[in-house]
mmCIF file of all heavy atoms in Angstrom:
data_model
loop_
_atom_site.group_PDB
_atom_site.id
_atom_site.type_symbol
_atom_site.label_atom_id
_atom_site.label_comp_id
_atom_site.label_asym_id
_atom_site.label_seq_id
_atom_site.Cartn_x
_atom_site.Cartn_y
_atom_site.Cartn_z
ATOM 1 N N VAL A 605 -90.998 198.269 -33.294
ATOM 2 C CA VAL A 605 -92.480 198.386 -33.766
ATOM 3 C C VAL A 605 -93.369 198.798 -32.558
ATOM 4 O O VAL A 605 -93.287 198.133 -31.474
ATOM 5 C CB VAL A 605 -92.872 197.066 -34.412
ATOM 6 C CG1 VAL A 605 -94.352 197.192 -34.843
ATOM 7 C CG2 VAL A 605 -91.980 196.699 -35.596
ATOM 8 N N HIS A 606 -94.182 199.696 -32.930
ATOM 9 C CA HIS A 606 -95.078 200.248 -31.820
ATOM 10 C C HIS A 606 -96.475 200.539 -32.385
ATOM 11 O O HIS A 606 -96.677 200.990 -33.515
ATOM 12 C CB HIS A 606 -94.460 201.595 -31.298
ATOM 13 C CG HIS A 606 -95.158 202.058 -30.141
ATOM 14 N ND1 HIS A 606 -94.877 201.715 -28.901
ATOM 15 C CD2 HIS A 606 -96.092 203.071 -29.884
ATOM 16 C CE1 HIS A 606 -95.580 202.243 -27.991
ATOM 17 N NE2 HIS A 606 -96.412 203.115 -28.502
ATOM 18 N N THR A 607 -97.429 200.281 -31.465
ATOM 19 C CA THR A 607 -98.841 200.488 -31.772
ATOM 20 C C THR A 607 -99.368 201.754 -31.117
ATOM 21 O O THR A 607 -99.172 201.808 -29.823
ATOM 22 C CB THR A 607 -99.775 199.314 -31.387
ATOM 23 O OG1 THR A 607 -99.438 198.132 -32.096
ATOM 24 C CG2 THR A 607 -101.214 199.721 -31.631
ATOM 25 N N PHE A 608 -99.531 202.856 -31.849
ATOM 26 C CA PHE A 608 -99.977 204.059 -31.256
ATOM 27 C C PHE A 608 -101.425 204.183 -30.968
ATOM 28 O O PHE A 608 -102.215 203.804 -31.828
ATOM 29 C CB PHE A 608 -99.576 205.190 -32.241
ATOM 30 C CG PHE A 608 -98.019 205.247 -32.465
ATOM 31 C CD1 PHE A 608 -97.422 204.667 -33.576
ATOM 32 C CD2 PHE A 608 -97.214 205.964 -31.516
ATOM 33 C CE1 PHE A 608 -96.034 204.707 -33.802
ATOM 34 C CE2 PHE A 608 -95.829 205.906 -31.868
ATOM 35 C CZ PHE A 608 -95.378 205.377 -32.927
ATOM 36 N N ARG A 609 -101.803 204.757 -29.845
ATOM 37 C CA ARG A 609 -103.151 205.030 -29.518
ATOM 38 C C ARG A 609 -103.568 206.415 -30.018
ATOM 39 O O ARG A 609 -102.873 207.300 -29.527
ATOM 40 C CB ARG A 609 -103.386 204.800 -28.020
ATOM 41 C CG ARG A 609 -103.196 203.424 -27.534
ATOM 42 C CD ARG A 609 -103.305 203.310 -25.994
ATOM 43 N NE ARG A 609 -103.215 201.829 -25.529
ATOM 44 C CZ ARG A 609 -103.301 201.545 -24.317
ATOM 45 N NH1 ARG A 609 -103.746 202.414 -23.376
ATOM 46 N NH2 ARG A 609 -103.101 200.245 -23.963
ATOM 47 N N GLY A 610 -104.576 206.490 -30.733
ATOM 48 C CA GLY A 610 -105.042 207.821 -31.243
ATOM 49 C C GLY A 610 -104.161 208.220 -32.422
ATOM 50 O O GLY A 610 -103.187 207.552 -32.892
ATOM 51 N N PRO A 611 -104.526 209.368 -33.054
ATOM 52 C CA PRO A 611 -103.797 209.788 -34.311
ATOM 53 C C PRO A 611 -102.337 210.198 -33.963
ATOM 54 O O PRO A 611 -102.011 210.843 -32.962
ATOM 55 C CB PRO A 611 -104.630 210.927 -34.716
ATOM 56 C CG PRO A 611 -105.322 211.454 -33.499
ATOM 57 C CD PRO A 611 -105.567 210.325 -32.641
ATOM 58 N N HIS A 612 -101.526 209.737 -34.836
ATOM 59 C CA HIS A 612 -99.945 210.110 -34.805
ATOM 60 C C HIS A 612 -99.420 210.481 -36.086
ATOM 61 O O HIS A 612 -99.717 209.867 -37.098
ATOM 62 C CB HIS A 612 -99.234 208.904 -34.017
ATOM 63 C CG HIS A 612 -98.958 209.139 -32.674
ATOM 64 N ND1 HIS A 612 -100.028 208.762 -31.713
ATOM 65 C CD2 HIS A 612 -97.952 209.411 -31.866
ATOM 66 C CE1 HIS A 612 -99.599 208.888 -30.524
ATOM 67 N NE2 HIS A 612 -98.396 209.269 -30.619
ATOM 68 N N TRP A 613 -98.387 211.439 -36.074
ATOM 69 C CA TRP A 613 -97.757 211.789 -37.224
ATOM 70 C C TRP A 613 -96.292 211.441 -37.198
ATOM 71 O O TRP A 613 -95.704 211.513 -36.034
ATOM 72 C CB TRP A 613 -97.896 213.263 -37.433
ATOM 73 C CG TRP A 613 -99.288 213.767 -37.954
ATOM 74 C CD1 TRP A 613 -99.597 213.998 -39.292
ATOM 75 C CD2 TRP A 613 -100.494 213.860 -37.136
ATOM 76 N NE1 TRP A 613 -100.977 214.361 -39.305
ATOM 77 C CE2 TRP A 613 -101.491 214.321 -38.112
ATOM 78 C CE3 TRP A 613 -100.873 213.646 -35.777
ATOM 79 C CZ2 TRP A 613 -102.735 214.456 -37.667
ATOM 80 C CZ3 TRP A 613 -102.151 213.919 -35.466
ATOM 81 C CH2 TRP A 613 -103.138 214.296 -36.464
ATOM 82 N N CYS A 614 -95.686 211.037 -38.287
ATOM 83 C CA CYS A 614 -94.261 210.777 -38.283
ATOM 84 C C CYS A 614 -93.450 212.008 -37.964
ATOM 85 O O CYS A 614 -93.676 213.071 -38.561
ATOM 86 C CB CYS A 614 -93.980 210.205 -39.690
ATOM 87 S SG CYS A 614 -92.136 209.868 -39.905
ATOM 88 N N GLU A 615 -92.493 211.861 -37.091
ATOM 89 C CA GLU A 615 -91.731 212.973 -36.719
ATOM 90 C C GLU A 615 -90.541 213.283 -37.642
ATOM 91 O O GLU A 615 -89.664 214.193 -37.463
ATOM 92 C CB GLU A 615 -91.164 212.858 -35.302
ATOM 93 C CG GLU A 615 -92.165 212.754 -34.204
ATOM 94 C CD GLU A 615 -91.606 212.599 -32.887
ATOM 95 O OE1 GLU A 615 -90.594 213.136 -32.386
ATOM 96 O OE2 GLU A 615 -92.232 211.684 -32.093
ATOM 97 N N TYR A 616 -90.383 212.446 -38.679
ATOM 98 C CA TYR A 616 -89.375 212.611 -39.736
ATOM 99 C C TYR A 616 -89.958 213.276 -40.937
ATOM 100 O O TYR A 616 -89.384 214.330 -41.465
ATOM 101 C CB TYR A 616 -88.789 211.298 -39.936
ATOM 102 C CG TYR A 616 -87.576 211.458 -41.066
ATOM 103 C CD1 TYR A 616 -86.463 211.938 -40.780
ATOM 104 C CD2 TYR A 616 -87.888 211.066 -42.462
ATOM 105 C CE1 TYR A 616 -85.460 212.122 -41.758
ATOM 106 C CE2 TYR A 616 -86.874 211.209 -43.359
ATOM 107 C CZ TYR A 616 -85.666 211.685 -42.999
ATOM 108 O OH TYR A 616 -84.699 211.809 -44.053
ATOM 109 N N CYS A 617 -90.981 212.738 -41.552
ATOM 110 C CA CYS A 617 -91.714 213.199 -42.795
ATOM 111 C C CYS A 617 -92.882 214.078 -42.437
ATOM 112 O O CYS A 617 -93.413 214.720 -43.455
ATOM 113 C CB CYS A 617 -92.003 212.035 -43.717
ATOM 114 S SG CYS A 617 -93.319 211.035 -43.127
ATOM 115 N N ALA A 618 -93.414 214.110 -41.277
ATOM 116 C CA ALA A 618 -94.610 214.908 -40.844
ATOM 117 C C ALA A 618 -95.789 214.327 -41.465
ATOM 118 O O ALA A 618 -96.919 215.083 -41.413
ATOM 119 C CB ALA A 618 -94.415 216.396 -41.218
ATOM 120 N N ASN A 619 -95.810 213.214 -42.079
ATOM 121 C CA ASN A 619 -97.158 212.567 -42.700
ATOM 122 C C ASN A 619 -97.861 211.712 -41.618
ATOM 123 O O ASN A 619 -97.165 211.249 -40.619
ATOM 124 C CB ASN A 619 -96.780 211.740 -43.933
ATOM 125 C CG ASN A 619 -96.404 212.656 -45.024
ATOM 126 O OD1 ASN A 619 -97.003 213.764 -45.212
ATOM 127 N ND2 ASN A 619 -95.418 212.308 -45.896
ATOM 128 N N PHE A 620 -99.104 211.521 -41.787
ATOM 129 C CA PHE A 620 -100.000 210.734 -40.916
ATOM 130 C C PHE A 620 -99.579 209.318 -40.864
ATOM 131 O O PHE A 620 -99.053 208.684 -41.902
ATOM 132 C CB PHE A 620 -101.452 210.888 -41.270
ATOM 133 C CG PHE A 620 -102.369 210.218 -40.369
ATOM 134 C CD1 PHE A 620 -102.590 210.891 -39.108
ATOM 135 C CD2 PHE A 620 -102.976 209.152 -40.586
ATOM 136 C CE1 PHE A 620 -103.454 210.365 -38.152
ATOM 137 C CE2 PHE A 620 -103.896 208.514 -39.595
ATOM 138 C CZ PHE A 620 -104.108 209.132 -38.419
ATOM 139 N N MET A 621 -99.665 208.641 -39.676
ATOM 140 C CA MET A 621 -99.342 207.196 -39.541
ATOM 141 C C MET A 621 -100.613 206.456 -39.657
ATOM 142 O O MET A 621 -101.493 206.522 -38.674
ATOM 143 C CB MET A 621 -98.706 206.892 -38.334
ATOM 144 C CG MET A 621 -97.296 207.487 -38.086
ATOM 145 S SD MET A 621 -96.512 206.822 -36.502
ATOM 146 C CE MET A 621 -94.819 207.476 -36.702
ATOM 147 N N TRP A 622 -100.886 205.775 -40.822
ATOM 148 C CA TRP A 622 -102.118 205.000 -41.035
ATOM 149 C C TRP A 622 -102.102 203.701 -40.412
ATOM 150 O O TRP A 622 -101.149 203.048 -40.183
ATOM 151 C CB TRP A 622 -102.379 204.888 -42.507
ATOM 152 C CG TRP A 622 -102.591 206.206 -43.169
ATOM 153 C CD1 TRP A 622 -101.563 206.938 -43.960
ATOM 154 C CD2 TRP A 622 -103.760 207.031 -43.239
ATOM 155 N NE1 TRP A 622 -102.107 208.155 -44.287
ATOM 156 C CE2 TRP A 622 -103.403 208.217 -44.000
ATOM 157 C CE3 TRP A 622 -105.115 206.793 -42.779
ATOM 158 C CZ2 TRP A 622 -104.414 209.212 -44.228
ATOM 159 C CZ3 TRP A 622 -106.027 207.858 -43.031
ATOM 160 C CH2 TRP A 622 -105.687 209.086 -43.808
ATOM 161 N N GLY A 623 -103.257 203.126 -40.128
ATOM 162 C CA GLY A 623 -103.439 201.880 -39.538
ATOM 163 C C GLY A 623 -104.006 201.828 -38.117
ATOM 164 O O GLY A 623 -104.065 202.905 -37.401
ATOM 165 N N LEU A 624 -104.346 200.617 -37.666
ATOM 166 C CA LEU A 624 -104.916 200.504 -36.303
ATOM 167 C C LEU A 624 -103.875 199.870 -35.406
ATOM 168 O O LEU A 624 -103.853 200.202 -34.206
ATOM 169 C CB LEU A 624 -106.138 199.523 -36.337
ATOM 170 C CG LEU A 624 -107.321 200.012 -37.210
ATOM 171 C CD1 LEU A 624 -108.387 198.974 -37.113
ATOM 172 C CD2 LEU A 624 -107.891 201.341 -36.593
ATOM 173 N N ILE A 625 -102.908 199.096 -35.946
ATOM 174 C CA ILE A 625 -101.826 198.522 -35.141
ATOM 175 C C ILE A 625 -100.593 198.639 -35.776
ATOM 176 O O ILE A 625 -100.515 198.737 -36.996
ATOM 177 C CB ILE A 625 -102.175 196.984 -34.722
ATOM 178 C CG1 ILE A 625 -102.286 196.154 -35.858
ATOM 179 C CG2 ILE A 625 -103.384 196.919 -33.852
ATOM 180 C CD1 ILE A 625 -102.328 194.572 -35.623
ATOM 181 N N ALA A 626 -99.454 198.638 -35.191
ATOM 182 C CA ALA A 626 -98.093 198.683 -35.623
ATOM 183 C C ALA A 626 -98.019 199.657 -36.753
ATOM 184 O O ALA A 626 -97.523 199.380 -37.754
ATOM 185 C CB ALA A 626 -97.685 197.344 -36.158
ATOM 186 N N GLN A 627 -98.452 200.964 -36.438
ATOM 187 C CA GLN A 627 -98.490 202.051 -37.456
ATOM 188 C C GLN A 627 -97.054 202.537 -37.853
ATOM 189 O O GLN A 627 -96.743 203.014 -38.879
ATOM 190 C CB GLN A 627 -99.304 203.172 -36.964
ATOM 191 C CG GLN A 627 -100.757 202.905 -36.587
ATOM 192 C CD GLN A 627 -100.943 202.604 -35.158
ATOM 193 O OE1 GLN A 627 -100.118 202.058 -34.488
ATOM 194 N NE2 GLN A 627 -102.022 203.142 -34.611
ATOM 195 N N GLY A 628 -96.181 202.254 -36.886
ATOM 196 C CA GLY A 628 -94.738 202.774 -37.026
ATOM 197 C C GLY A 628 -93.813 202.218 -35.984
ATOM 198 O O GLY A 628 -94.128 201.172 -35.385
ATOM 199 N N VAL A 629 -92.713 202.835 -35.839
ATOM 200 C CA VAL A 629 -91.690 202.481 -34.819
ATOM 201 C C VAL A 629 -91.463 203.538 -33.889
ATOM 202 O O VAL A 629 -91.500 204.705 -34.197
ATOM 203 C CB VAL A 629 -90.394 201.982 -35.536
ATOM 204 C CG1 VAL A 629 -90.541 200.754 -36.347
ATOM 205 C CG2 VAL A 629 -89.738 203.061 -36.434
ATOM 206 N N ARG A 630 -90.978 203.228 -32.705
ATOM 207 C CA ARG A 630 -90.599 204.144 -31.666
ATOM 208 C C ARG A 630 -89.237 203.808 -31.100
ATOM 209 O O ARG A 630 -88.858 202.690 -30.904
ATOM 210 C CB ARG A 630 -91.606 204.241 -30.540
ATOM 211 C CG ARG A 630 -91.166 205.008 -29.238
ATOM 212 C CD ARG A 630 -92.202 205.068 -28.287
ATOM 213 N NE ARG A 630 -93.309 206.038 -28.596
ATOM 214 C CZ ARG A 630 -94.407 206.258 -27.845
ATOM 215 N NH1 ARG A 630 -94.575 205.497 -26.798
ATOM 216 N NH2 ARG A 630 -95.309 207.153 -28.295
ATOM 217 N N CYS A 631 -88.308 204.829 -31.036
ATOM 218 C CA CYS A 631 -87.048 204.715 -30.387
ATOM 219 C C CYS A 631 -87.278 204.514 -28.849
ATOM 220 O O CYS A 631 -87.721 205.416 -28.174
ATOM 221 C CB CYS A 631 -86.096 205.880 -30.671
ATOM 222 S SG CYS A 631 -84.426 205.753 -29.841
ATOM 223 N N SER A 632 -86.909 203.397 -28.341
ATOM 224 C CA SER A 632 -87.027 203.065 -26.902
ATOM 225 C C SER A 632 -86.019 203.968 -26.013
ATOM 226 O O SER A 632 -86.191 203.927 -24.781
ATOM 227 C CB SER A 632 -86.738 201.489 -26.611
ATOM 228 O OG SER A 632 -85.498 201.222 -27.012
ATOM 229 N N ASP A 633 -85.112 204.610 -26.674
ATOM 230 C CA ASP A 633 -84.114 205.401 -25.846
ATOM 231 C C ASP A 633 -84.411 206.843 -25.754
ATOM 232 O O ASP A 633 -84.331 207.440 -24.732
ATOM 233 C CB ASP A 633 -82.671 205.331 -26.451
ATOM 234 C CG ASP A 633 -82.142 203.752 -26.379
ATOM 235 O OD1 ASP A 633 -82.650 203.115 -25.429
ATOM 236 O OD2 ASP A 633 -81.295 203.458 -27.171
ATOM 237 N N CYS A 634 -85.059 207.414 -26.931
ATOM 238 C CA CYS A 634 -85.406 208.812 -26.895
ATOM 239 C C CYS A 634 -86.792 209.057 -27.141
ATOM 240 O O CYS A 634 -87.331 210.301 -27.023
ATOM 241 C CB CYS A 634 -84.472 209.573 -27.856
ATOM 242 S SG CYS A 634 -84.848 209.210 -29.655
ATOM 243 N N GLY A 635 -87.591 208.126 -27.645
ATOM 244 C CA GLY A 635 -88.868 208.213 -27.806
ATOM 245 C C GLY A 635 -89.395 208.787 -29.248
ATOM 246 O O GLY A 635 -90.549 209.191 -29.470
ATOM 247 N N LEU A 636 -88.510 208.916 -30.166
ATOM 248 C CA LEU A 636 -88.778 209.351 -31.541
ATOM 249 C C LEU A 636 -89.772 208.425 -32.264
ATOM 250 O O LEU A 636 -89.553 207.164 -32.203
ATOM 251 C CB LEU A 636 -87.538 209.497 -32.447
ATOM 252 C CG LEU A 636 -87.661 209.981 -33.787
ATOM 253 C CD1 LEU A 636 -87.975 211.545 -33.636
ATOM 254 C CD2 LEU A 636 -86.380 209.876 -34.636
ATOM 255 N N ASN A 637 -90.856 209.044 -32.833
ATOM 256 C CA ASN A 637 -91.862 208.161 -33.518
ATOM 257 C C ASN A 637 -91.795 208.495 -35.017
ATOM 258 O O ASN A 637 -91.925 209.590 -35.443
ATOM 259 C CB ASN A 637 -93.251 208.600 -32.919
ATOM 260 C CG ASN A 637 -93.365 208.394 -31.427
ATOM 261 O OD1 ASN A 637 -92.924 207.367 -30.850
ATOM 262 N ND2 ASN A 637 -93.941 209.431 -30.786
ATOM 263 N N VAL A 638 -91.556 207.396 -35.775
ATOM 264 C CA VAL A 638 -91.473 207.582 -37.203
ATOM 265 C C VAL A 638 -92.053 206.455 -37.949
ATOM 266 O O VAL A 638 -92.402 205.385 -37.399
ATOM 267 C CB VAL A 638 -90.017 207.775 -37.698
ATOM 268 C CG1 VAL A 638 -89.343 209.038 -37.052
ATOM 269 C CG2 VAL A 638 -89.185 206.641 -37.274
ATOM 270 N N HIS A 639 -92.346 206.567 -39.270
ATOM 271 C CA HIS A 639 -92.697 205.375 -40.034
ATOM 272 C C HIS A 639 -91.491 204.403 -40.076
ATOM 273 O O HIS A 639 -90.418 204.750 -39.956
ATOM 274 C CB HIS A 639 -93.072 205.806 -41.578
ATOM 275 C CG HIS A 639 -94.318 206.633 -41.645
ATOM 276 N ND1 HIS A 639 -94.296 207.970 -42.032
ATOM 277 C CD2 HIS A 639 -95.583 206.261 -41.457
ATOM 278 C CE1 HIS A 639 -95.497 208.447 -42.099
ATOM 279 N NE2 HIS A 639 -96.305 207.308 -41.711
ATOM 280 N N LYS A 640 -91.948 203.126 -40.357
ATOM 281 C CA LYS A 640 -91.023 202.171 -40.468
ATOM 282 C C LYS A 640 -89.978 202.473 -41.603
ATOM 283 O O LYS A 640 -88.757 202.208 -41.442
ATOM 284 C CB LYS A 640 -91.561 200.768 -40.755
ATOM 285 C CG LYS A 640 -90.614 199.572 -40.586
ATOM 286 C CD LYS A 640 -91.337 198.223 -40.741
ATOM 287 C CE LYS A 640 -90.318 197.132 -40.675
ATOM 288 N NZ LYS A 640 -90.973 195.802 -40.811
ATOM 289 N N GLN A 641 -90.433 202.854 -42.714
ATOM 290 C CA GLN A 641 -89.615 203.236 -43.882
ATOM 291 C C GLN A 641 -88.767 204.517 -43.635
ATOM 292 O O GLN A 641 -87.528 204.489 -44.035
ATOM 293 C CB GLN A 641 -90.444 203.592 -45.095
ATOM 294 C CG GLN A 641 -91.219 202.187 -45.655
ATOM 295 C CD GLN A 641 -90.167 201.175 -46.054
ATOM 296 O OE1 GLN A 641 -89.151 201.523 -46.560
ATOM 297 N NE2 GLN A 641 -90.418 199.849 -45.772
ATOM 298 N N CYS A 642 -89.354 205.421 -42.920
ATOM 299 C CA CYS A 642 -88.574 206.584 -42.533
ATOM 300 C C CYS A 642 -87.470 206.357 -41.559
ATOM 301 O O CYS A 642 -86.510 207.145 -41.579
ATOM 302 C CB CYS A 642 -89.581 207.685 -41.865
ATOM 303 S SG CYS A 642 -90.627 208.445 -43.106
ATOM 304 N N SER A 643 -87.672 205.301 -40.744
ATOM 305 C CA SER A 643 -86.507 204.950 -39.817
ATOM 306 C C SER A 643 -85.151 204.573 -40.471
ATOM 307 O O SER A 643 -84.157 204.754 -39.925
ATOM 308 C CB SER A 643 -86.977 203.733 -38.921
ATOM 309 O OG SER A 643 -87.059 202.595 -39.695
ATOM 310 N N LYS A 644 -85.228 204.382 -41.760
ATOM 311 C CA LYS A 644 -84.055 203.965 -42.516
ATOM 312 C C LYS A 644 -83.295 205.262 -42.890
ATOM 313 O O LYS A 644 -82.072 205.131 -43.214
ATOM 314 C CB LYS A 644 -84.284 203.165 -43.737
ATOM 315 C CG LYS A 644 -85.152 201.862 -43.496
ATOM 316 C CD LYS A 644 -85.393 201.223 -44.754
ATOM 317 C CE LYS A 644 -86.283 199.961 -44.551
ATOM 318 N NZ LYS A 644 -86.761 199.196 -45.770
ATOM 319 N N HIS A 645 -83.987 206.400 -42.854
ATOM 320 C CA HIS A 645 -83.327 207.638 -43.198
ATOM 321 C C HIS A 645 -83.081 208.671 -42.113
ATOM 322 O O HIS A 645 -82.377 209.590 -42.291
ATOM 323 C CB HIS A 645 -84.262 208.312 -44.277
ATOM 324 C CG HIS A 645 -84.686 207.464 -45.392
ATOM 325 N ND1 HIS A 645 -83.743 207.156 -46.316
ATOM 326 C CD2 HIS A 645 -85.871 206.930 -45.684
ATOM 327 C CE1 HIS A 645 -84.441 206.219 -47.319
ATOM 328 N NE2 HIS A 645 -85.729 206.107 -46.845
ATOM 329 N N VAL A 646 -83.501 208.229 -40.877
ATOM 330 C CA VAL A 646 -83.250 209.156 -39.725
ATOM 331 C C VAL A 646 -81.804 209.111 -39.353
ATOM 332 O O VAL A 646 -81.103 208.066 -39.383
ATOM 333 C CB VAL A 646 -84.062 208.540 -38.540
ATOM 334 C CG1 VAL A 646 -83.702 209.444 -37.290
ATOM 335 C CG2 VAL A 646 -85.531 208.676 -38.807
ATOM 336 N N PRO A 647 -81.158 210.297 -39.175
ATOM 337 C CA PRO A 647 -79.696 210.394 -38.916
ATOM 338 C C PRO A 647 -79.403 209.804 -37.499
ATOM 339 O O PRO A 647 -80.373 209.691 -36.682
ATOM 340 C CB PRO A 647 -79.407 211.884 -39.016
ATOM 341 C CG PRO A 647 -80.822 212.469 -38.760
ATOM 342 C CD PRO A 647 -81.751 211.640 -39.374
ATOM 343 N N ASN A 648 -78.161 209.498 -37.307
ATOM 344 C CA ASN A 648 -77.857 208.799 -35.975
ATOM 345 C C ASN A 648 -77.617 209.944 -34.976
ATOM 346 O O ASN A 648 -76.438 210.339 -34.529
ATOM 347 C CB ASN A 648 -76.524 208.135 -36.169
ATOM 348 C CG ASN A 648 -76.526 206.945 -37.058
ATOM 349 O OD1 ASN A 648 -77.658 206.458 -37.262
ATOM 350 N ND2 ASN A 648 -75.387 206.590 -37.779
ATOM 351 N N ASP A 649 -78.743 210.560 -34.580
ATOM 352 C CA ASP A 649 -78.796 211.727 -33.590
ATOM 353 C C ASP A 649 -79.467 211.412 -32.399
ATOM 354 O O ASP A 649 -80.056 212.285 -31.794
ATOM 355 C CB ASP A 649 -79.183 212.883 -34.291
ATOM 356 C CG ASP A 649 -80.692 212.767 -34.901
ATOM 357 O OD1 ASP A 649 -81.149 211.694 -34.861
ATOM 358 O OD2 ASP A 649 -81.165 213.757 -35.393
#
């Protein structure tokens, strides 16, 4: 879970990440930023 500073878009569905804190999740290994729900559908790549 990650709090993004400034506007951010999900790199999976390309939709805006709403909210002020904990708007989504970030992969600590590659830096991919996605919605929490979208993270369930991201391939193992």
Side-chain angles (χ1 to χ4, degrees):
V605 176
H606 189 79
T607 296
F608 298 95
R609 296 181 180 179
H612 263 78
W613 283 261
C614 175
E615 294 178 44
Y616 180 77
C617 69
N619 289 321
F620 187 73
M621 291 184 176
W622 297 96
L624 298 176
I625 59 171
Q627 304 98 321
V629 293
R630 168 176 286 176
C631 177
S632 58
D633 294 332
C634 70
L636 182 70
N637 304 315
V638 297
H639 290 114
K640 187 176 180 180
Q641 291 300 319
C642 289
S643 67
K644 301 175 183 178
H645 307 289
V646 174
N648 299 332
D649 58 354

